[in-house]
Amino acid sequence: MPENIIKLHENRLDKKNYHKLMAIDNPHLHQFVAEYIELCNPDKVFISTDSEEDIRYIKETAIRNGEEMKLAIEGHSVHFDGYYDQARDKGHTKFLVPKGVDLGPNLNTIDKHEGLQEIHEIMKDIMKGHELYIRFFCLGPTNSEFSIPCVELTDSAYVAHSEDLLYRNGYEEFKRQGRSAQFFKFVHSAGELDERKVSRNIDKRRIYIDFEDAVVYSVNTQYGGNTIGLKKLAMRLAIHRAAKEGWLTEHMLLMGVHGPDKRTTYFTGAFPSLCGKTSTAMIPHETIVGDDIAYIRKRGDKAYAVNVESGVFGIIMGVNSKDDPIIWNALNSPNEIIFSNVLIKEDKGVYWIGKDGDVPKKGKNHSGEWVPGKKDTEGNEVTPSHKNARFTIKLSSLKSVDFKMNDPNGVEIGGMIYGGRDSDTWVPVEEAFDWTHGIITKGASLESETTAATLGKEGVRQFNPMSNLDFLSVPIGRYVDMNLKFGSSMEKPPKIFGVNYFLKDRNGNFMNERVDKGVWLKWMELRVYNEIDALKTPTGYIPMYDDLRKIFKELLNKIYSREDYIKQFTIKVPESLSKIERIKKIYETTVTDTPPVLFKILEEEKRRLNEAGEKYGDYITPDRWEK
Ligand code: SPV
Ligand code: MN
């Protein structure tokens, strides 16, 4: 290792921290760390091992420096992000693209040289007056073909603490892998803080991703989705790596659905943010492996998946004791939890939109002191908690955690689910004809109405292939092709399903209750083994009424009427055709490398819909398909 790097570490780190860093035999790591200590210029550097003592130090520092505040229940704390720093900033999240590389027109990019220059300028001395925390983690279970070691440099104890709840420790893994570690690197600074301890220079908020060197930079922001490097930032690096190596990185939950005779069938599920992914993964009666990101690999003729994370950064809005009893119990017990952007009451309890009980008369939230009716400077009403307010918790705090959650082999996947926020087109659950049909008409055709998880207007229908658009680091066509290839080389790939929890009637009311998704899961589980029959429609296989009635009764003790079934499972020919046209147009015009089979499959679907429409009319009730 060059002398100057050793010297720098000797100068900048105290003895104890120096030894902790040097215990990892990886000159590339030492050099990287040295570079950013020099550039960001923190007052102090803390190297965290996997020891309880080091982890406790970070946790306590977050409280001591005011980034988190203790709450009434043991282990609970709260963190606030700035009023305008409440969601992922898509506009300022960009890929640093080397000359000659083209990611297509849908991804946000900046020339690598120019971007690095800009971000390095912003980072100069940015940690002055701050302590830098350096942490090591492992994405995926340790000691597994899925493992990816990561190092995070951050001057936010809140970010470092969050990562402790969300990821598996990796200091020992770094020591084990030594010089052979192919690791991801993250540098984050919250930048200058104001008196409320929130990032002051939001205008200089930047999140730049260098997939070539596997580095992500994030500055002048605190919101987890912009700063927790191992989450969506690492995901972009992993998609790039997966594309090169022939596996998949997906924005997917991973869960065990429990079938007859103690059978467990594992499903992945892709849903855009705020569309029911976490609450599906934590549904009563089933077990959770993960709620957000999955790595999927083929072994023999089977597909296996792991949860990249070991905790949940989940949306809290709407969590209540009836619909989400598992999350509810965890959130009301003495666990280690960070609440972000909720309302703190005088008694140091918390409130969020949709929680059981009355809205408090006052409290403190991301806008400061809060009372009902409060308006912000633009005249918009300030809700008690932000719609994108979150809870951060270890999966091991949930009673439904699946026993294979840390299995280095992953779990074998039986089915893959795609679902978006769709008020008028898809039926509540439908099985694709086969892998190619599923990837194209369910995954690659996914659309969803926008939500508060990203900055900008809500309720606008947007194209979001595999719910992964925000995180893609390869051109869309190539990504769709990777998905097609993954399953088409398998004799019996996982089955693919489309679900829609958000179907509305003519009056704009939801047609289903939130708990109904449990029924769709049980139906899909049985379909993986073809244990029940289904009706063939132009868009896929839909359930038979008697099967659903039985599952509704057994699972929810609910009478499911034929009338409801008919309304929910009516195939809407005009809406389905418009959707195909919208999707086709996107793949024809804005995607530059669409695999030709996509157009063929969409044309076939269009022909089936037209033929059925001529025969049965625009709105085709399920009894038409009955044999
Ligand atoms: C999402 O928005 O999809 C999340 C949270 O899971 S974030 O980390 O913001 O991506
Ligand atoms: Mn997500």
Side-chain angles (χ1 to χ4, degrees), residues 87-88 223-226 228 231-232 251 271-274 277-278 291-293 309 313-315 388 390 453-454 467 470-471:
R88 279 189 275 114
Y223 169 66
N226 295 326
I228 298 172
K231 203 167 186 51
K232 295 311 194 330
H251 191 204
F271 299 76
S273 312
L274 249 169
K277 187 147 56 80
T278 298
D291 86 314
D292 200 31
I293 309 168
E309 312 180 279
F313 177 57
I315 289 171
N388 194 30
R390 303 229 168 202
T454 54
S467 88
D470 289 359
F471 315 113

Side-chain angles (χ1 to χ4, degrees), residues 93-95 103-110 469-476:
T93 303
K94 295 183 186 172
F95 290 104
L103 293 184
N106 310 77
L107 275 58
N108 206 2
T109 60
I110 182 168
L469 182 64
D470 289 359
F471 315 113
L472 290 188
S473 50
V474 294
I476 296 177

